[in-house]
Amino acid sequence: MNTVSDLNIKKAIEYPYLPEGRTLEYVPITNQHMAAARAYAEENSIDTTMPTGSVLVLNGEIIGRGANGSTYHQENVCVRVAQNIPTGQGYDLCEGCTHKNHSEPRSILDAQERGHETKGADLYLWGHWWCCEPCWNAMIKAGVHRVFLMEGSQIFFNKEEEGNVVGRQFDVSRV
């Protein structure tokens, strides 16, 4: 059986989007902030296909939390799905998919609404393997320093990868 470390070194990761000069860093699922992002996603995400959660951390303390999802798709057809638009593209075409419903900007907004400065904070994202352009733009504007994903996320949360856990993301603790 492959371990998470084996999965990380088997091939270079090609992200659908990554701004110039930015990187994604990886931590184990046991990292306290990644565990907090996972717990927040499990408790608060209303996206049943790709539930995600993120926490914004400054000086070792969580200052903001966010989960993805919207009730829009419960009553409306997703324009992106209907038009077969690839992942990471056309979020602005569908009210249910717009980046304001993504966990990253929601965690930033949560921190700001609580009166926290976000400049220099780190973001821990659970449930996805990359960040879309609008989310990167929001993080850069907010001064987010680093973005952390869970080790193996490029396999576990990628619909295109054999061995993914899409649709059963909360089983990932057993890998």
Side-chain angles (χ1 to χ4, degrees), residues 22-65:
R22 290 295 187 138
T23 61
L24 292 166
E25 299 183 41
Y26 293 85
V27 295
I29 193 170
T30 55
N31 173 282
Q32 68 177 354
H33 300 306
M34 188 58 67
R38 179 190 185 278
Y40 198 79
E42 192 165 19
E43 294 169 12
N44 296 282
S45 177
I46 55 176
D47 185 323
T48 57
T49 304
M50 291 298 293
T52 65
S54 52
V55 294
L56 202 60
V57 177
L58 186 63
N59 299 323
E61 298 208 23
I62 296 174
I63 61 169
R65 292 173 174 82

Side-chain angles (χ1 to χ4, degrees), residues 104-116:
E104 303 97 303
R106 284 186 171 176
S107 64
I108 293 166
L109 182 61
D110 181 54
Q112 292 169 340
E113 286 178 345
R114 294 170 182 263
H116 294 286

Side-chain angles (χ1 to χ4, degrees), residues 3-4 12-13 15 21 24 34 46 56 85-86 95 99 101 105 110 112 118 120 122 133 149 153 158 168 170:
T3 66
V4 172
I13 301 169
Y15 304 105
L24 292 166
M34 188 58 67
I46 55 176
L56 202 60
I85 296 172
E95 180 60 30
H99 78 281
N101 294 323
D110 181 54
Q112 292 169 340
T118 57
D122 294 328
E133 183 175 1
L149 303 176
S153 61
N158 185 342
R168 48 192 175 80
F170 300 108

Side-chain angles (χ1 to χ4, degrees), residues 11-174:
K11 65 180 183 177
I13 301 169
E14 294 183 32
Y15 304 105
Y17 180 78
L18 186 65
E20 188 174 326
R22 290 295 187 138
T23 61
L24 292 166
E25 299 183 41
Y26 293 85
V27 295
I29 193 170
T30 55
N31 173 282
Q32 68 177 354
H33 300 306
M34 188 58 67
R38 179 190 185 278
Y40 198 79
E42 192 165 19
E43 294 169 12
N44 296 282
S45 177
I46 55 176
D47 185 323
T48 57
T49 304
M50 291 298 293
T52 65
S54 52
V55 294
L56 202 60
V57 177
L58 186 63
N59 299 323
E61 298 208 23
I62 296 174
I63 61 169
R65 292 173 174 82
N68 70 328
S70 159
T71 58
Y72 180 86
H73 292 132
Q74 293 171 357
E75 297 179 11
N76 300 281
V77 173
C78 177
V79 174
R80 294 176 61 247
V81 171
Q83 294 182 12
N84 220 16
I85 296 172
T87 187
Q89 298 176 23
Y91 289 132
D92 57 323
L93 299 175
C94 178
E95 180 60 30
C97 296
T98 183
H99 78 281
K100 71 180 180 183
N101 294 323
H102 295 188
S103 70
E104 303 97 303
R106 284 186 171 176
S107 64
I108 293 166
L109 182 61
D110 181 54
Q112 292 169 340
E113 286 178 345
R114 294 170 182 263
H116 294 286
E117 172 60 51
T118 57
K119 185 176 181 180
D122 294 328
L123 185 129
Y124 291 77
L125 174 63
W126 184 91
H128 217 327
W129 66 282
W130 65 287
C131 303
C132 69
E133 183 175 1
C135 287
W136 270 113
N137 291 342
M139 290 185 290
I140 291 167
K141 182 178 179 184
V144 171
H145 178 63
R146 297 179 297 184
V147 177
F148 292 93
L149 303 176
M150 186 187 81
E151 288 178 340
S153 61
Q154 74 279 7
I155 302 293
F156 299 131
F157 305 128
N158 185 342
K159 296 175 189 175
E160 306 298 319
E161 291 288 340
E162 186 178 323
N164 74 54
V165 294
V166 174
R168 48 192 175 80
Q169 281 87 332
F170 300 108
D171 292 344
V172 78
S173 62
R174 297 186 238 307

